[in-house]
Structure formats: structure tokens, C-alpha cells
Amino acid sequence: MEAEVREIREHLGRYPPFDRLSEQLLDKVASSVEISYFRAGSLILSYKQSIDSLYYIRSGAVEVYRHNNELYNRLGEGDIFGHLGLLHNHHVRYPASAIEDTLIYLIPDAVFQQLCDEDENFADFVELSGSRLKTTVEQSHRENDMMVTRVRSLIGRLPVTIEESATVEQAAQLMTEQHVSAILLLAAANENNSLAFSDNEGLHWRITGILTDQDFRVRVLAQGGSAQTALSEIKQGELISVQSDKTVYEAMLAMLRNNVQHLPVMHRRRPVGIVQLADIVRYETHNSLYLVSNIFHQSNVKGLVRLMPEVRAAFIRLVDEGATSQMTGSALSTIGRSLTRRLLELAHDELGPPPVPYCLMVNGSMARDDQSITTDQDNALVLSDDFDPQQHDAYFAELASRMSDGLAACGYPYCTGGIMATNPKWRQPLSVWKNYFEEWITRPDPERLLHSSIFFDLDAAYGEESYVEVLQDLIVTRASQNKRFLGALARNALGRTPPLGFFRTFVMEKDGKHKNSINLKRRGTAPMVDVIRVHALAAGSRAQNSFERLDDIDRSAMLPAGQVDKLRYALEFIAMVRIRHQAYNLRIEKEADNNIDPENVSDSERHNLKDAFQVLSNAQKYLRFHYPMPD
């Protein structure tokens, strides 16, 4: 890609509606652009003239008028105009003039029409232009920006690069001149190298690493190193990077998982920028990312406990902004995982390093990435097969105790069923865990099926992730082939039924403090998760999140047409009613719970709840039919 086209592409990718385009469509737009220049005071478009391009302001300012010369709008860098003319007979409806020297990118009509046809967000943006601000605000309320905004929109400049053969002194001088805190290292590469990219002069390079101010301080100055040391001698580890079309949320996760503060952003093999954790924190200061960053700066359990009001505030904000249940669940699960990891790190500081490798396995809602603000602990320790109980268990028992007590102090209650690493049964070597899962699958009984419904949603939260991956692989290969197990698990999933009576009236709790209410978890989301899990295991899905499992089920074509969508919409609606109810409880300073009174929700919401529960009821009936118990 030529340098000029790359520059056009990078600029377009920072502004709506181009910021959410796929890489392929953005490439198409950038390569099709023609450039025009208009002096201040000149007419750009006149009323009713023919128009065959979309106008994008690269720099300068434009005034748009109604045809009676009344000012309609003032536009600046990154704004578009002319789209209404393209959508209505290809004649200008709103004349436009430059009020400053203005550079315009002209995007051909054919490309504009392709974008409208292939990208729904783009089509909505241009077709609803009459109320675009209202539409944009409502859309932002429906979506969590971090989950949809591409990381390229955070890039403010091209990265500063230097050959890795250069010295520390040369790099420091260049970083000072360019006012940057990180620099990318280059090495010459053969053009056939799969990691190579070409610069503007046609030379081929590959990125070999990244160095920051902190690296120079820790690896050079603190070690008494020389300013003449080659950069290649102080770089460390594998380069962690992210593609430019990944979301801000994905970039944030890459930073947290790899404990890095700077992340090179790539367009395919070419570096196009560097994003810092601080950039994302500024972008979404009050969201889960800010909390995650703050969690890892706490030096004791008391500091973590003090953050809990911020967790509740972040949850309320997500609900108020219209984030989906999947987005909300992912954010709260990220916070929960981060608290767990930090508690383990603090324990390591006091207890010393673990005597053998281990992995903290999380189960249930945290593994599925669908935690709500009310959740208990479900975790276990998968230990190395070198584990010797007499030598090592005292350490891991204390480690588990500190983690579990810390989580309880932070508002994550102890599991009443004892599914915690503090229970010796759930603190075992990998070989024992493999035997557990084999037994649960090959010899299902009520107790083993209960364990399956808990432990078959599993993920690694800290440590040797490969241990949990082994168990995930075992589940995928063994469960999908065992019809008896699937039949038993399907029967087990019928134990919790939706709260529908005859004529689709609600069946409510009959006693206790929640009398005349419906528990949306026990009678809604939990049985729906159970149904989806059975289908996912049969399909050989490796996903843990229920919505991602539905994607795999859909691809397997194992359910009748349209059924997956019904399950997806029903789960989302019930989950959203549940978290809105919890957010309301917190706003009025009540303890958040899962119980709603149908009389306190709107007529339309009650109607939709009945529809969603009916979908669940039908799905449970289908389980009985589709997974019969073998003779």
C-alpha cells in the first residue's frame, strides 16, 4: 500500500462512520479516494447540482446551507457531507462552502453504495442523518463503546522506530526529539519473510521488539549499563501486538493478560501506532478498565475492599448506558478475575513462590464471562503432577484460604456448596482432575451431573493455563461422543423450569421473603445456560460464554432453523431484565438480588418475559426429544 493511501486510511479509520468498517472495506475506501482543495470562501456544492461522490473533510471547515441560504450546519475535520444527495436522486440538497482553506477526500458513489449495502452501521449513520445526533446517542446507549470501537481510533501518530543495532543513547535522543515514551525496534528482513513489511523507500523490515522509558531505567541505568549498549541486547520477551481492527476492549485484555503498558498496533504486518494503557484509561475512565488498572495497584486486601463501591458504580453505569448483558457480564467477569489474580499475587508476596506450578481454575459465571453484581465463588486449583500433598498442600491450602477470604471481603460470598479451592477435593493434581472428568462423563449419576453442570464451564484465571486447556480438550472430545452422558445431562437440565403456568400466566414464589416474585436466575438464565451447555457439548464447542456457544451451535446446524436466534434473544432479554433490576436495587441502596415482582414491570416487559420464558420451555421440551436416554 502506498504511503499516501496509508495516510488516508489511517485518517478515515479514526472517525465515524469509517471507524467501525472492516479492514477490507476501509482499504477499499482509502484506495478509491480522490483529493480536492478548496480555498476559503469558495463554493463546494451548489443546490441541485449533480453529485457523484461522498465528501469527507480532511482538514479545514465547511458551512452547509438549506437551499434558501439558511445556515444548516458547520462541519470540521472528519465530518462528511453530500450523502443525502447520493441517497436522493444524486442531486445536491444542501449547498456547501469552505469557510477555511479545506482539503476534501472524495469517495466515489459506487464505493459509497457498497458501504451502505455491506455495513449496517454505516448505512444507519448516513440514512438517518436527519436525526443523526439522536441516533448516535441512542446507539452509544445500546452499545459499550469499548466492545465496538476499533483500537486504531486511539492512534494519534505513527510509531517511532529505530534499528535494533542502534545504541541506547541514540534511541533516547530520538525518543526525546519525538516526545514519545516508547520506540519500536527494527531489523532488516527478506521480502519473503512472513513478518516483513516494506517502507516508503521499498526496504523490507520486521518488528523485533519495543522499548520504553521504563525499560531504559530498569535494564540499563539501574544495572549500571552503558549508553553505548546495542538495543538488541536489552530487549526482552516476545513482542505482544494487536491488529488495528481489534476493539479497544480486546487491546485492553491483551495488555492485562501480558502485563504490558504499551501495545504496538499493526495493520497486517506494518506498525501503524502504539497504544498505551493510559490512552485506554483516558478513553474510558470510569469503566471496568479503570477499575482493573486500579486493582493491580492495591497493596493489600483493604485497598481492594475500598474499590467495591466503584465496582457497583461501574455496573450501574453500564446498565444506564444500555450495554448488553454480554458486555456487562464480560466487564464484571474481568473485574472479578483481576481481583482474584491480585489476591493471589499478594499471597505470593507473603508466602513466597509456589512449590510447584499450578493454575487457578474458575467455574460458573466467571468462566462464562457472564457475572452479575450478585455472584458467589466457584473456583479450584489444578496442580502440577509433581504435587506431593505432604510437602506442598499446606502452602496451597493457605494460598486458597487467603484468596477465598479476600474475595469474601470484597463481596463475593463463599460458595455454599463448597466449590472452592479451600476444599481439598477441588485442590488436586492435573491427573486427578482428568480422572474426575472422565468419571463424570462415563458414569453419570445425580451427584456427578451436578458437578458437570458446575465444572463444565471452566477457564484459567491465573498460572499455568495449559492445565485447564487440557481439561477443556478432554471435555470436548469425550462429552460429544457419549450419548448416554448427553442424555443424562439433558434430563438434569430439565430440573429448573421457567415460571409459566396455564395460559402463560406467571408462577411465583409461594413463601419466604421473596413471596409473589420470580427469581430470574433460578427460573430463567440458569436453566437457559443449562440448555445451551448441552447443545454446545454435543456440537463439540470449545466456547464457555453462552452467546459464543450459541454461535457454535448455529454453525453446527444441529437445531431447526431459527431456534438459535430465539434462544439468543430470550437469554439476552431475561438477563437484561435481571441486571436492570439489580441496578435499580443498588440505586435505592437495597441489596441487589434476582427476584422481580411482575407487577412492578411494564406491560410490554411482562409480555416479552412471557415470550422469553416460552422459548425456554420449548427448548427444554426439545432437549427431552433430541437427547433420549439410551437403553
Side-chain angles (χ1 to χ4, degrees):
M1 187 181 290
E2 297 178 1
E4 184 180 37
V5 175
R6 283 200 301 272
E7 196 278 334
I8 292 172
R9 183 188 185 286
E10 289 160 9
H11 197 277
L12 286 167
R14 296 202 296 269
Y15 294 92
F18 305 96
D19 57 340
R20 296 185 185 178
L21 292 181
S22 67
E23 294 287 354
Q24 293 77 13
L25 285 177
L26 192 57
D27 286 344
K28 175 81 171 180
V29 176
S31 60
S32 72
V33 160
E34 294 182 5
I35 301 175
S36 291
Y37 175 77
F38 297 89
R39 290 190 177 278
S42 63
L43 182 67
I44 300 175
L45 293 173
S46 58
Y47 181 55
K48 287 191 174 181
Q49 80 170 72
S50 296
I51 183 170
D52 58 8
S53 297
L54 176 68
Y55 287 62
Y56 173 96
I57 303 174
R58 172 61 178 82
S59 61
V62 171
E63 286 186 337
V64 179
Y65 298 85
R66 304 184 189 277
H67 63 84
N68 61 0
N69 291 325
E70 178 183 343
L71 180 65
Y72 175 68
N73 206 353
R74 285 193 175 92
L75 307 175
E77 182 179 6
D79 284 326
I80 60 172
F81 60 100
H83 45 291
L84 292 179
L86 294 177
L87 293 169
H88 297 87
N89 302 319
H90 290 81
H91 287 90
V92 173
R93 300 187 65 190
Y94 294 91
S97 298
I99 55 176
E100 295 176 7
D101 290 348
T102 300
L103 194 66
I104 299 287
Y105 290 162
L106 302 177
I107 300 169
D109 177 48
V111 176
F112 172 78
Q113 299 298 339
Q114 181 182 355
L115 297 180
C116 290
D117 291 339
E118 298 184 15
D119 190 282
E120 185 174 346
N121 177 70
F122 185 95
D124 287 347
F125 191 94
V126 298
E127 290 173 2
L128 300 174
S129 182
S131 57
R132 191 174 75 183
L133 177 61
K134 177 178 180 290
T135 302
T136 302
V137 169
E138 288 178 350
Q139 183 171 358
S140 70
H141 287 175
R142 289 195 302 271
E143 299 174 341
N144 182 328
D145 270 349
M146 288 185 68
M147 300 291 287
V148 295
T149 302
R150 301 184 191 274
V151 70
R152 65 184 178 229
S153 65
L154 300 188
I155 299 172
R157 57 170 297 168
L158 289 172
V160 177
T161 60
I162 192 170
E163 290 190 55
E164 66 174 13
S165 59
T167 66
V168 169
E169 181 179 31
Q170 291 171 321
Q173 290 174 344
L174 181 58
M175 291 168 69
T176 301
E177 292 169 2
Q178 295 293 323
H179 305 290
V180 296
S181 59
I183 192 166
L184 296 182
L185 306 187
L186 301 176
N190 185 289
E191 63 179 311
N192 296 322
N193 188 306
S194 61
L195 300 178
F197 67 93
S198 60
D199 63 15
N200 295 338
E201 298 177 358
L203 299 176
H204 291 85
W205 305 92
R206 61 184 178 89
I207 302 297
T208 62
I210 182 172
L211 290 173
T212 67
D213 286 340
Q214 183 180 8
D215 294 327
F216 290 138
R217 184 174 69 252
V218 173
R219 301 182 199 169
V220 182
L221 292 177
Q223 303 296 324
S226 168
Q228 301 308 311
T229 302
L231 299 175
S232 58
E233 295 181 21
I234 62 170
K235 68 177 185 180
Q236 289 184 353
E238 180 184 355
L239 178 69
I240 306 299
S241 63
V242 65
Q243 287 293 312
S244 62
D245 65 340
K246 296 297 185 182
T247 65
V248 173
Y249 184 75
E250 289 171 310
M252 177 269 287
L253 287 182
M255 289 182 179
L256 295 176
R257 287 170 179 162
N258 296 283
N259 194 27
V260 296
Q261 299 285 318
H262 296 75
L263 195 65
V265 180
M266 316 290 281
H267 173 51
R268 299 189 177 98
R269 293 168 292 183
R270 176 183 299 278
V272 295
I274 297 175
V275 170
Q276 298 184 51
L277 188 58
D279 296 329
I280 304 179
V281 171
R282 281 193 295 270
Y283 173 78
E284 195 71 10
T285 301
H286 300 293
N287 209 326
S288 57
L289 175 61
Y290 170 76
L291 280 168
V292 168
S293 177
N294 211 354
I295 284 168
F296 286 102
H297 283 90
Q298 301 306 310
S299 59
N300 52 49
V301 174
K302 289 183 178 179
L304 296 174
V305 172
R306 283 195 293 268
L307 296 179
M308 292 307 100
E310 296 182 36
V311 174
R312 290 187 285 273
F315 169 72
I316 292 172
R317 178 173 178 248
L318 283 167
V319 175
D320 287 346
E321 292 189 349
T324 66
S325 70
Q326 188 174 6
M327 296 171 186
T328 305
S330 179
L332 291 178
S333 298
T334 297
I335 292 170
R337 286 168 183 262
S338 300
L339 285 166
T340 304
R341 290 183 59 182
R342 187 56 184 153
L343 287 166
L344 290 171
E345 291 171 353
L346 293 172
H348 289 168
D349 290 342
E350 295 188 13
L351 300 177
V356 295
Y358 77 95
C359 182
L360 188 280
M361 177 171 69
V362 292
N363 305 97
S365 60
M366 187 179 290
R368 294 192 303 270
D369 268 350
D370 67 4
Q371 282 201 310
S372 75
I373 201 66
T374 59
T375 185
D376 62 0
Q377 301 179 36
D378 286 307
N379 53 62
L381 287 180
V382 185
L383 307 169
S384 165
D385 283 333
D386 293 330
F387 171 75
D388 180 335
Q390 291 191 344
Q391 294 185 59
H392 306 142
D393 193 50
Y395 176 94
F396 288 110
E398 180 63 21
L399 181 73
S401 178
R402 293 186 181 219
M403 175 193 69
S404 186
D405 291 346
L407 287 172
C410 290
Y412 295 79
Y414 300 112
C415 176
T416 55
I419 309 298
M420 296 179 292
T422 50
N423 184 336
K425 185 175 182 179
W426 311 129
R427 192 172 65 243
Q428 295 291 336
L430 176 59
S431 57
V432 173
W433 279 105
K434 291 165 69 175
N435 289 335
Y436 282 168
F437 281 92
E438 285 281 0
E439 186 177 64
W440 295 338
I441 293 171
T442 58
R443 297 166 55 198
D445 63 20
E447 182 180 2
R448 295 183 184 117
L449 288 169
L450 175 62
H451 291 149
S452 297
S453 66
I454 296 170
F455 286 101
F456 277 43
D457 299 340
L458 71 167
D459 202 12
Y462 186 88
E464 297 292 328
E465 296 184 4
S466 61
Y467 294 174
V468 171
E469 291 170 0
V470 168
L471 299 178
Q472 291 172 334
D473 291 342
L474 186 154
I475 293 170
V476 168
T477 55
R478 302 286 284 138
S480 62
Q481 300 170 3
N482 193 313
K483 292 184 178 180
R484 181 169 181 267
F485 170 73
L486 291 173
L489 194 65
R491 292 297 178 279
N492 197 60
L494 304 178
R496 295 180 286 195
T497 57
L500 284 179
F502 291 110
F503 308 110
R504 297 180 66 203
T505 56
F506 287 121
V507 176
M508 310 220 258
E509 302 292 331
K510 293 183 170 54
D511 49 36
K513 69 176 182 178
H514 296 302
K515 185 178 179 180
N516 296 325
S517 69
I518 296 172
N519 188 301
L520 289 175
K521 177 181 178 181
R522 186 169 62 247
R523 306 295 296 275
T525 57
M528 186 71 79
V529 165
D530 290 342
V531 168
I532 293 169
R533 184 189 301 111
V534 176
H535 290 314
L537 291 173
S541 171
R542 294 177 182 272
Q544 304 300 314
N545 177 266
S546 294
F547 291 102
E548 293 175 4
R549 283 173 166 172
L550 284 170
D551 291 337
D552 288 343
I553 295 166
D554 197 23
R555 282 188 284 269
S556 74
M558 63 188 301
L559 296 184
Q563 292 306 304
V564 169
D565 282 344
K566 288 182 179 180
L567 289 171
R568 180 180 287 112
Y569 297 142
L571 174 59
E572 174 63 21
F573 187 80
I574 297 171
M576 281 306 306
V577 174
R578 177 189 176 206
I579 64 176
R580 285 200 297 264
H581 167 72
Q582 292 173 345
Y584 172 76
N585 282 346
L586 293 179
R587 283 192 211 96
I588 62 174
E589 299 184 353
K590 286 180 59 179
E591 181 181 352
D593 60 33
N594 297 306
N595 294 80
I596 67 159
D597 180 349
E599 296 302 316
N600 291 335
V601 299
S602 67
D603 290 340
S604 62
E605 195 162 87
R606 283 200 301 273
H607 179 79
N608 288 330
L609 270 177
K610 290 177 182 178
D611 286 346
F613 288 139
Q614 189 62 54
V615 169
L616 172 57
S617 178
N618 293 339
Q620 289 184 327
K621 292 174 184 176
Y622 185 80
L623 275 188
R624 187 184 299 275
F625 159 77
H626 196 68
Y627 300 98
M629 287 291 291
D631 296 332

